[in-house]
């Protein structure tokens, strides 16, 4: 291996590809990494691939690995040669859905001694799982728009009291920033923060509502309401009623057709 290759100049390149346009949390998905040799041959200890996101913590932001796999070990990358390596990644149930504020990437790395490790990255689309999809649909039925979403360290979320028990099992949770745009909560709730903590058998939604005190008790100053909704296999219409009870409204408005 030449000096320039060790410094990353003319070195091998790696290109990871998820062999499905989108994935859903909880699935096992096939991946392929194409390795193309550089100007001279190189030896690598391992070729690894991982799924990652960035989560908020007490101290700022940190990268979190969602899943990882080793596709090859002790391999030689010949100059100019092109090889493809296939494998699988088990996407965990707690992987965050990609939407504004949340990004997930697929990264591949050739680990080399005494040389800069060639790395390739590509964006990945992660769909909302069926339980979270129904929970968000129930909020939309109540006129609550679901806006930005950010992965958050579960211990941080528990410390902030937005997800009290989430740190017992999960590395991260996903926090959704929501605002009433119509329906019974306009003028009653200023903002709703929903923290989704999935598990293999269900989903816990922690809701924190900034309630307008003048609309509720004629008070001034801040007023918050906290609620927990467990999501298993309920219909959207049932979840809507559970959110209504949890958030404390006597609204009699009907759910959207087809739910």
């Amino acid at each position: 291996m030449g000096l320039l290759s060790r410094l990353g100049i003319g070195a091998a390149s790696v290109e990871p590809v998820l062999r499905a346009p989108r994935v859903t949390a909880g699935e096992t998905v096939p991946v392929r990494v194409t390795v193309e040799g550089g100007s001279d041959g190189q030896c690598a200890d391992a070729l690894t691939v991982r799924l990652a996101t960035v989560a908020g913590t007490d101290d700022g932001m940190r990268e979190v690995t969602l899943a990882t796999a080793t596709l090859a070990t002790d391999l030689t990358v010949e100059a100019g040669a092109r090889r493809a390596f296939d494998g699988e990644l088990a996407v965990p149930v707690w992987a965050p859905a990609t939407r504004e504020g949340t990004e997930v990437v697929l990264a591949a790395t050739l680990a080399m001694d005494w040389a800069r490790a060639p790395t390739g990255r590509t964006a990945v689309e992660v769909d909302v799982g069926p339980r979270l999809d129904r929970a968000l649909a129930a909020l939309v039925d109540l006129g609550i728009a679901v806006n930005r979403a950010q992965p958050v360290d579960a211990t941080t979320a528990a410390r902030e009291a937005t997800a009290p028990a989430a740190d017992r099992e999960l590395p991260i949770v996903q926090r959704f920033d929501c605002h009433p745009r119509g329906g019974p909560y306009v003028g009653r709730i200023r903002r709703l923060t929903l923290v989704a903590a999935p598990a293999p058998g269900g989903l816990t939604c922690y809701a924190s509502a900034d309630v307008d005190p003048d609309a509720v008790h004629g008070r001034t100053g801040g007023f918050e309401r906290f609620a927990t909704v467990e999501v298993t296999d309920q219909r959207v219409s049932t979840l809507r009623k559970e959110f209504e009870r949890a958030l404390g409204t006597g609204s009699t408005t009907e759910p959207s057709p087809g739910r």
Side-chain angles (χ1 to χ4, degrees):
M1 184 189 306
L3 175 61
L4 292 180
S5 294
R6 292 182 185 276
L7 298 175
I9 301 172
S13 62
V14 292
E15 180 183 2
V17 176
L18 195 67
R19 301 185 71 182
R22 304 176 70 90
V23 303
T24 300
E27 293 182 339
T28 296
V29 295
V31 296
R32 168 169 288 184
V33 177
T34 301
V35 178
E36 188 166 353
S39 55
D40 60 0
Q42 294 178 276
C43 296
D45 295 328
L47 172 63
T48 60
V49 63
R50 66 191 183 97
L51 210 58
T53 191
V54 175
T57 70
D58 291 338
D59 302 321
M61 308 294 288
R62 69 179 177 92
E63 187 168 84
V64 177
T65 296
L66 308 175
T68 185
T70 299
L71 304 189
T73 58
D74 298 324
L75 66 153
T76 299
V77 182
E78 302 292 345
R82 186 179 179 89
R83 300 174 62 186
F85 298 85
D86 293 321
E88 292 183 332
L89 279 176
V91 184
V93 294
W94 47 269
T98 50
R99 51 197 306 150
E100 184 182 359
T102 301
E103 294 183 351
V104 176
V105 298
L106 182 67
T109 302
L110 269 175
M112 297 179 176
D113 287 335
W114 308 105
R116 181 176 297 175
T119 300
R121 298 165 72 93
T122 187
V124 172
E125 295 293 324
V126 181
D127 283 332
V128 175
R131 293 189 178 97
L132 180 55
D133 183 50
R134 293 198 303 276
L136 297 181
L139 292 180
V140 172
D141 272 0
L142 289 169
I144 299 175
V146 182
N147 302 319
R148 289 178 56 84
Q150 181 188 29
V152 181
D153 179 86
T155 302
T156 297
R159 189 176 297 116
E160 293 174 347
T162 53
D167 63 331
R168 297 175 186 171
E169 302 290 341
L170 302 172
I172 62 172
V173 292
Q174 192 169 24
R175 183 168 59 201
F176 295 84
D177 187 28
C178 313
H179 294 84
R181 293 289 184 259
Y185 292 105
V186 172
R188 295 174 58 88
I189 291 178
R190 297 170 178 169
R191 173 185 176 187
L192 177 72
T193 300
L194 183 78
V195 176
L203 168 73
T204 302
C205 289
Y206 300 96
S208 172
D210 294 331
V211 181
D212 188 335
D214 295 329
V216 181
H217 297 296
R219 297 170 51 186
T220 58
F223 184 79
E224 284 188 292
R225 177 174 289 132
F226 298 92
T228 300
V229 174
E230 298 292 340
V231 183
T232 53
D233 298 319
Q234 307 101 311
R235 295 171 60 114
V236 171
S237 56
T238 301
L239 283 171
R240 171 197 162 104
K241 293 176 183 177
E242 292 184 22
F243 273 112
E244 284 182 306
R245 284 194 293 268
L247 297 175
T249 179
S251 168
T252 58
T253 53
E254 294 299 322
S256 300
R259 297 290 187 186

